Amino acid sequence: MTAVLDPFRFREVLGHFCTGVTVVTGHDGAAPAGFACQSFAALSLDPPLVLFCVARTSRTWPVLAESGSFAVNVLAEDQREVSAVFGARGADKFASVPWRPAPSGAPLLDGALTWVDCTLEAVHTAGDHLVVVGRVTELGETSDARPLLFHRGHYTVTEPVPDALAALMPWPRPDDWL
């Protein structure tokens, strides 16, 4: 028997896990489309795969799915308003946000820390969401700016922490994070 969890308590507890803020974008040939997304992650190095999760009720996801490709824009700390625009329903989200096309045609948002251009690899149903897997086809340049993060229901940013271990270990560290 599966325990019934209070959804508000579930959200409160999982809100203690800090996430990055991204905007997933695509283009259906007629107009650009996109939505704010916190559930984005690297999945595989070989082949290069990423994943994100989107609500099954999303009106934007079917547009991106139809095109067969998408871009993930990693937002910088000064892009809270961009996140709010793409997190809201309605209105032309691209009217106030400058962008240029990725190799796939998906919008790349000006000011993002970096971007990942993908072709649609797989979609899996998982409860009230879809888990979308993308095969990475192009990678954007990176920025030294700080990322926009979401933690406990609020935007936040990182502060650099001195790396005392680096002085003691001048050789490369394990790369098992991915």
Side-chain angles (χ1 to χ4, degrees):
M1 180 173 179
T2 304
V4 176
L5 297 175
D6 175 22
F8 296 105
R9 176 81 174 126
F10 183 75
R11 181 176 283 203
E12 175 193 12
V13 169
L14 294 182
H16 281 72
F17 180 70
C18 186
T19 62
V21 181
T22 67
V23 172
V24 179
T25 60
H27 203 288
D28 69 358
F35 61 91
C37 180
Q38 292 172 243
S39 57
F40 169 72
L43 178 60
S44 169
L45 285 173
D46 186 19
L49 300 173
V50 295
L51 68 81
F52 68 86
C53 300
V54 61
R56 289 173 51 187
T57 57
S58 169
R59 291 182 286 179
T60 304
W61 168 244
V63 174
L64 277 64
E66 181 70 26
S67 74
S69 61
F70 59 87
V72 179
N73 297 266
V74 180
L75 298 188
E77 70 174 319
D78 63 352
Q79 293 185 298
R80 291 177 186 188
E81 189 169 308
V82 172
S83 173
V85 166
F86 282 91
R89 294 183 186 264
D92 178 3
K93 298 172 183 177
F94 292 89
S96 63
V97 180
W99 62 276
R100 67 193 184 286
S104 68
L108 301 177
L109 307 180
D110 288 0
L113 289 179
T114 193
W115 52 267
V116 181
D117 204 20
C118 303
T119 57
L120 183 58
E121 182 82 5
V123 179
H124 306 281
T125 301
D128 60 0
H129 277 65
L130 300 171
V131 178
V132 178
V133 177
R135 182 177 292 259
V136 178
T137 57
E138 298 283 341
L139 296 168
E141 295 297 320
T142 59
S143 166
D144 288 335
R146 295 187 302 182
L148 181 61
L149 303 174
F150 203 72
H151 179 248
R152 297 176 63 190
H154 303 282
Y155 291 115
T156 189
V157 295
T158 59
E159 287 297 328
V161 176
D163 190 355
L165 190 58
L168 300 173
M169 297 173 47
W171 59 86
R173 293 194 217 161
D175 60 354
D176 60 355
W177 282 94
L178 182 63

